Amino acid sequence: MLSMISLPSGGFLASRDPHAAVRVAVRATDPLDHAGLLTQLRESPEIELAEDVEDADVLVVVAEDGLPELPAADRPLVLITDRPRQAELWRAIEHGLAVLLPRPAATPARLRQAITDAHQGRGDLPGEELGGLLRGLVRLHEEILAPRDLALSGLGPREADLLRMLADGLSTVEIATRMAYSERTVKNILQSLLSRLGLRNRTHAVAHALRHGLI
């Protein structure tokens, strides 16, 4: 049975005092691991324990045999585990993985640093896992994205060009002229993009692309 608790976090600082404690939620597949982490973190004045993951800034998960059930990726994840399988690593990334900490390296000081890094938007993966992740991204691009004319950003080349020109203030007619497409084709490209990404309009599309560094 999973144990759970929360601590303060620093990755989503927009509306919080930057000097406030980081709220952290902890999950562990082993009750002893859970109790040990709570003991460590209670001694850290920069960390505040909470009982609800929804109230946490950072989620810390200790996994011994496979990952526990993970919540939605709306907060950074610090994962403490030994040699995760590739499928587990991808799953953790889907749920907001920011820092992967091998169990032998999870000293109190290193854990506090991992929480701070995750809270402040920094990532950290051991070299072996990072190498496997990069190889997986290459396969993803070659086998899934490229055949669909998409890049790792999730945008196709035409979509990226279109969004850059929208961001520069060009009209649909001007974009069509520059891309040597009909105005109808430009509108179809934009509508397909809006539909796929669940965006409302061209302004929302440009804001989304800028916010996520896609253009």
Side-chain angles (χ1 to χ4, degrees):
M1 185 146 196
L2 287 179
S3 304
M4 179 178 76
I5 194 167
S6 306
L7 321 167
S9 136
F12 299 80
L13 292 171
S15 61
R16 298 191 62 219
D17 180 350
H19 303 294
V22 179
R23 299 172 305 217
V24 181
V26 178
R27 284 188 174 182
T29 51
D30 186 310
L32 293 179
D33 286 336
H34 179 261
L37 274 180
L38 295 187
T39 298
Q40 285 186 29
L41 296 174
R42 283 196 187 100
E43 297 173 356
S44 302
E46 69 273 25
I47 288 175
E48 173 190 322
L49 295 174
E51 294 184 357
D52 191 341
V53 171
E54 296 304 316
D55 294 332
D57 300 314
V58 175
L59 173 62
V60 176
V61 171
V62 188
E64 194 159 343
D65 295 312
L67 292 182
E69 182 178 349
L70 298 172
D74 51 4
R75 63 189 52 76
L77 167 66
V78 174
L79 176 61
I80 303 172
T81 189
D82 284 323
R83 308 292 295 274
R85 293 187 293 272
Q86 191 68 37
E88 293 174 339
L89 183 59
W90 281 110
R91 183 176 157 219
I93 290 170
E94 291 170 351
H95 288 270
L97 178 65
V99 179
L100 177 61
L101 194 57
R103 289 175 67 96
T107 63
R110 183 65 187 89
L111 177 58
R112 289 195 300 271
Q113 184 60 53
I115 290 170
T116 299
D117 287 343
H119 187 234
Q120 295 181 354
R122 296 190 292 270
D124 187 7
L125 293 179
E128 185 172 344
E129 278 72 21
L130 179 58
L133 173 61
L134 293 175
R135 290 190 295 273
L137 288 174
V138 170
R139 290 196 303 273
L140 174 65
H141 179 261
E142 292 176 345
E143 299 172 10
I144 305 297
L145 297 176
R148 293 166 172 78
D149 197 31
L150 293 174
L152 287 170
S153 66
L155 300 177
R158 298 188 308 172
E159 294 172 336
D161 289 342
L162 171 59
L163 287 175
R164 290 189 193 99
M165 285 184 270
L166 285 175
D168 288 338
L170 273 66
S171 68
T172 304
V173 173
E174 291 170 323
I175 292 172
T177 300
R178 288 203 181 184
M179 298 182 76
Y181 292 151
S182 69
E183 188 177 358
R184 177 182 293 275
T185 298
V186 170
K187 289 180 177 178
N188 287 341
I189 295 171
L190 179 58
Q191 187 55 48
S192 175
L193 172 66
L194 295 176
S195 177
R196 192 175 75 250
L197 298 183
L199 303 171
R200 294 187 298 276
N201 50 45
R202 62 182 62 194
T203 301
H204 192 193
V206 171
H208 173 87
L210 292 173
R211 186 181 308 116
H212 294 282
L214 303 181
I215 58 173

